[in-house]
Amino acid sequence: MSNCSSRALTLLSSVFGACGLLLVGIAVSTDYWLYVEEGIVLQQNQTTEIKMALHAGLWRVCFVAGKEKGRCVASEFFHGPDTDIVTENTANILKTIRSATPFPMVSLFLVFTAFVISNIGHIRPQRTILAFVSGIFFILSGLSLVVGLVLYISSINDEVMNRPSSSELYFHYRYGWSFAFAASSFLLKEGAGVMSVYLFTKRYTEEEAYRPHPAFYRPRLSDCSDYSGQFLHPEVWHRGRSPSDISSDVSIQMTQSYPLAIKCPDHIHISTSPC
C-alpha cells in the first residue's frame, strides 16, 4: 500500500465505501437472511415431508411452503396464534434474532455518514482531516455490523442446540444471500476505512514536505526588543545596501575629512583703498 498514489487511494476508498453502503442497504431491506424448513420424517420409506418453509429478514417473514405459502408477516407478529408452524424452534429463533436488528441499522447510518464525509474530502483535498474522520466512521460502521452478525449467529445456534432431538421431526436452516451481502459489506467498509486513514497520513506527509522550513523565517529577537516585530513585518527585515546608500556614506566621510577652514572659511577682508 505504500506504493499507492493519493489518486489511487482516493478512487479505491470511494469504490469500497460505495459498494459497502450498497450491500448493507440491500441486506437490511431484503428478507433473505435465513431459510428455515420444518417437516416430518416418514418412517416407512425414510423420506421427508416439508410442512413449512420460510425465508426471513430483519423485519419480515415470508412463507414459501405449507399452508401459509405466499404469506408475509412482520417479524414481531410471527409467533401469533394464527401462524401455522410445526415446532416452536422457528418462532424462538425469529424472536431471539430480533436483538441483533439495531446493529445493522446503526452500521447503515454510520457508513452513509462516512461516505458523505469521504466525498467532501475528495472534493476538497486541502481539508486533510476529513479523510481521517471518514476512515474512523467506516471502521466503526464495520464493527457495528460485525457485532450484529455475531449476535445473529449466536442466537440461532443457541436455539438449535436447545432443540429437543427427535427422529420424527425434520428441521433445517441455512443463511441466505442477504446475510452474505452483510458479511461482504463488513469487509468492504473495513477496507475503505483503512485506505481513508492511510490517505490522510499520505496527504499530511506531503503537506509537511512542501511546508517551508522555519529557518527561512527571521525569528524574534526578544519580547522587549525594538526589533521583535521583524518576524511579522518583513518590510523592516535587514536588506543589503543599495549603491545610493554607499555613495551617500562616502560623501559624508569626505565632508568630515576636509579641514575646518575649508568647511567653514573665515571672512577675508578686501580693501578698496588704492594703496
Side-chain angles (χ1 to χ4, degrees):
M1 186 179 290
S2 59
N3 296 327
C4 293
S5 63
S6 298
R7 183 174 299 179
L9 289 172
T10 300
L11 179 61
L12 288 176
S13 62
S14 298
V15 172
F16 276 45
C19 293
L21 175 61
L22 179 63
L23 289 181
V24 73
I26 294 175
V28 168
S29 59
T30 52
D31 307 320
Y32 296 90
W33 283 65
L34 184 68
Y35 290 93
V36 178
E37 292 179 351
E38 287 186 350
I40 57 176
V41 179
L42 302 178
Q43 299 296 330
Q44 294 82 0
N45 51 8
Q46 294 297 318
T47 58
T48 301
E49 181 182 357
I50 302 299
K51 292 294 185 177
M52 189 271 298
L54 59 84
H55 59 82
L58 299 178
W59 318 103
R60 195 173 62 164
V61 179
C62 295
F63 295 91
V64 295
K67 296 180 180 180
E68 304 287 341
K69 182 179 180 180
R71 180 187 176 194
C72 293
V73 295
S75 298
E76 59 268 23
F77 301 118
F78 175 76
H79 54 280
D82 57 340
T83 305
D84 185 20
I85 57 175
V86 179
T87 65
E88 291 294 329
N89 293 104
T90 302
N92 293 334
I93 288 175
L94 297 177
K95 186 189 304 182
T96 56
I97 62 178
R98 288 169 54 191
S99 61
T101 302
F103 292 96
M105 295 301 300
V106 173
S107 176
L108 179 61
F109 172 75
L110 290 176
V111 71
F112 177 77
T113 304
F115 183 71
V116 173
I117 296 175
S118 177
N119 286 332
I120 295 175
H122 297 336
I123 296 173
R124 298 183 177 181
Q126 66 274 12
R127 297 189 176 183
T128 312
I129 192 64
L130 292 179
F132 179 78
V133 174
S134 65
I136 296 300
F137 271 90
F138 275 127
I139 293 174
L140 291 178
S141 174
L143 294 177
S144 176
L145 181 60
V146 76
V147 169
L149 294 179
V150 170
L151 287 176
Y152 192 88
I153 295 173
S154 62
S155 300
I156 295 174
N157 290 338
D158 290 343
E159 288 297 327
V160 173
M161 293 293 294
N162 296 329
R163 177 177 176 270
S165 58
S166 175
S167 59
E168 297 181 357
L169 297 178
Y170 171 78
F171 177 82
H172 175 72
Y173 76 96
R174 61 187 175 89
Y175 299 102
W177 55 265
S178 296
F179 183 88
F181 274 23
S184 302
S185 174
F186 162 72
L187 299 176
L188 291 172
K189 287 185 288 188
E190 293 300 312
V194 171
M195 283 185 288
S196 296
V197 173
Y198 184 74
L199 178 62
F200 162 75
T201 60
K202 195 174 184 64
R203 287 178 178 174
Y204 184 80
T205 304
E206 292 175 354
E207 288 181 359
E208 288 295 322
Y210 287 103
R211 183 173 297 176
H213 195 272
F216 286 103
Y217 299 98
R218 183 180 179 89
R220 294 178 182 269
L221 299 178
S222 65
D223 293 337
C224 56
S225 173
D226 293 338
Y227 300 97
S228 59
Q230 288 183 354
F231 184 80
L232 299 178
H233 302 282
E235 64 272 6
V236 300
W237 290 1
H238 178 73
R239 295 188 295 267
R241 303 186 65 188
S242 62
S244 59
D245 295 337
I246 298 174
S247 61
S248 298
D249 292 345
V250 171
S251 61
I252 293 173
Q253 292 177 2
M254 291 178 62
T255 304
Q256 292 177 351
S257 63
Y258 287 163
L260 186 61
I262 297 177
K263 294 193 300 179
C264 300
D266 295 333
H267 178 70
I268 301 177
H269 177 73
I270 300 178
S271 177
T272 57
S273 174
C275 297

